[in-house]
Amino acid sequence: MPALRKTPFVLALFAGLLLGCQPAPTEYRTTLLSFGTLIEITFWGVEKDKANEVIKEVEKDLKFMHNAWHAWQPGPMSRINELLQTTAPFSANPSVLGPIIRARELAIASDHLFNPAISELIGLWGFHSDDLPHGPPPPADKIRSLVAQNPRMADITINDVRMQSRNPHVKLDLGGVAKGYGVDQIITLLKHRGINNAIVNAGGDLKAIGRHGDRPWKVGIQDPRKKGAVLAMVEALDGESVFTSGNYERFYDYQGHRYHHIIDPRTGYPAAGSSSVTVICPDATTADAAATALFVAGPKDWQRIARQMGISTVMLVDEQGKIYITPEMQARVSFIEPPASLQVSKAK
Ligand code: ADP
Ligand code: MG
């Protein structure tokens, strides 16, 4: 009978339809602890087994970078700091060369407002500890004398693996750029493993590749003046990094004054004027250093430094809550609540 003869075909068609309807692998999300922060990694459209396998590699790489670049625990970085102090030439451990070379370029482009050579100052403020400092700020004369030593990345020369500092007070702290460099490395690893739709979010600093299914990745920008609240949403497009530096990340209060972890190398004190700076650009290393540099530059000087660093998509929230934004950033963000005070101006 024709109807019966057709049965296997109909069954096959039905089975095929069922298979087709099976949910394709969609979102996979996991959280790792590294660089002193929670790192959330999300993939789209990756099989669970493959995702787990790649995450194991990511975890290993993060651990390696964290140990190699740590600013105050003994390791390759502390050894480099000992050798820089001697002002004699030496061969640097290659595991730290990559971020140091990039940090040097970015420091020079920022007129040394991003200055990872001021580790002595950051240590004096007590930020070289897992616990936050407390009590009065360091004595003013000690701060003044460290500022007068004028340690800068330009004091370092790097030729292949040979490194030398001409200033014994150059001591490196890559805290302002390590997360960005690490995120770039992890995204490169994901791409090598064939993962093309992912987002790596290190405590609100992130880089995205591809899309979240049929829409772009969407992320929130923290409101620097309201703990845990989102100021605005933004789409992170393929290959874009979104980095924010804020005075709410690591700080302590003493006698009604807030002392936070982003130090103005010109004064030796926590940078005044900004509450947070958000930067969008392709390279996460650049975004990280630029967010720190523009935070230090503050409401008066951020446009000049942004221009010098090749950054056009910026938002700065000042200490009073006024928002300075470039047209490029304004076109990208949607504020949760309309800002009370907003000034649109280009990087210049
Ligand atoms: P976050 O993303 O946590 O706000 P940043 O990327 O702005 O942090 O980096 C802040 C860290 O960078 C500090 O904890 C310190 O280690 C280091 N740092 C502080 N001031 C400067 C500066 N002017 N230039 C470069 N690094 C800095
Ligand atoms: Mg930074």
Side-chain angles (χ1 to χ4, degrees):
M1 281 187 294
L4 264 182
R5 251 182 278 128
K6 271 194 190 151
T7 306
F9 172 70
V10 171
L11 278 179
L13 188 71
F14 192 54
L17 276 176
L18 263 184
L19 274 177
C21 291
Q22 257 185 10
T26 52
E27 192 176 281
Y28 169 99
R29 180 175 299 167
T30 192
T31 306
L32 308 169
L33 182 68
S34 194
F35 291 111
T37 186
L38 285 176
I39 304 193
E40 188 184 78
I41 300 174
T42 313
F43 299 154
W44 182 268
V46 181
E47 298 279 355
K48 200 168 170 214
D49 287 351
K50 160 104 185 218
N52 284 333
E53 199 180 291
V54 175
I55 285 298
K56 273 193 205 131
E57 276 189 87
V58 170
E59 210 168 357
K60 247 192 255 166
D61 280 11
L62 282 172
K63 204 179 229 169
F64 178 86
M65 293 187 273
H66 178 71
N67 291 334
W69 306 343
H70 204 285
W72 68 86
Q73 278 167 15
M77 195 55 172
S78 62
R79 181 67 186 139
I80 286 203
N81 277 333
E82 281 170 16
L83 293 164
L84 285 170
Q85 237 181 359
T86 66
T87 66
F90 62 93
S91 294
N93 186 323
S95 65
V96 263
L97 268 177
I100 293 177
I101 291 170
R102 291 289 286 121
R104 186 178 181 280
E105 293 163 358
L106 291 159
I108 291 168
S110 78
D111 276 2
H112 301 280
L113 298 185
F114 166 70
N115 185 348
I118 58 167
S119 190
E120 287 188 352
L121 259 175
I122 295 164
L124 178 67
W125 277 95
F127 285 111
H128 283 166
S129 160
D130 291 328
D131 304 318
L132 282 167
H134 50 85
D141 58 331
K142 278 203 178 157
I143 294 176
R144 255 197 312 272
S145 90
L146 287 186
V147 172
Q149 305 297 345
N150 200 20
R152 288 172 166 219
M153 294 305 280
D155 293 330
I156 304 178
T157 47
I158 306 170
N159 280 314
D160 204 7
V161 297
R162 298 294 282 171
M163 201 183 277
Q164 181 171 20
S165 168
R166 58 170 175 237
N167 181 342
H169 290 279
V170 164
K171 190 174 175 192
L172 304 182
D173 173 334
L174 296 182
V177 80
K179 238 193 288 173
Y181 197 91
V183 166
D184 275 329
Q185 299 286 111
I186 297 306
I187 290 287
T188 303
L189 168 67
L190 297 183
K191 288 205 263 185
H192 283 161
R193 294 294 174 266
I195 293 178
N196 294 310
N197 296 292
I199 190 160
V200 178
N201 186 338
D205 293 331
L206 57 99
K207 181 165 186 171
I209 44 170
R211 291 163 68 83
H212 181 276
D214 55 5
R215 63 165 173 87
W217 296 100
K218 213 170 190 172
V219 296
I221 299 170
Q222 158 83 39
D223 187 333
R225 291 151 52 86
K226 277 189 224 143
K227 198 172 190 298
V230 174
L231 178 69
M233 297 299 293
V234 63
E235 285 177 349
L237 305 179
D238 183 20
E240 268 187 348
S241 304
V242 185
F243 272 67
T244 301
S245 278
N247 62 4
Y248 52 85
E249 298 270 3
R250 293 196 82 208
F251 66 90
Y252 67 100
D253 290 309
Y254 181 74
Q255 295 186 342
H257 193 88
R258 175 177 288 196
Y259 297 97
H260 63 80
H261 71 148
I262 303 172
I263 306 295
D264 185 333
R266 300 165 297 188
T267 63
Y269 282 80
S274 312
S275 288
S276 75
V277 172
T278 303
V279 163
I280 305 181
C281 71
D283 184 58
T285 313
T286 307
D288 195 356
T292 308
L294 300 185
F295 186 101
V296 175
K300 290 206 176 74
D301 211 17
W302 66 272
Q303 292 164 277
R304 185 178 66 88
I305 302 298
R307 179 66 175 259
Q308 273 182 214
M309 299 185 85
I311 304 289
S312 54
T313 311
V314 185
M315 173 167 68
L316 183 150
V317 183
D318 79 4
E319 282 174 331
Q320 284 71 44
K322 178 173 176 181
I323 297 175
Y324 298 78
I325 196 165
T326 60
E328 293 85 345
M329 181 68 97
Q330 195 187 25
R332 300 288 305 276
V333 291
S334 32
F335 288 102
I336 303 298
E337 281 173 29
S341 177
L342 185 84
Q343 183 177 316
V344 185
S345 34
K346 270 185 138 8
K348 65 176 178 209

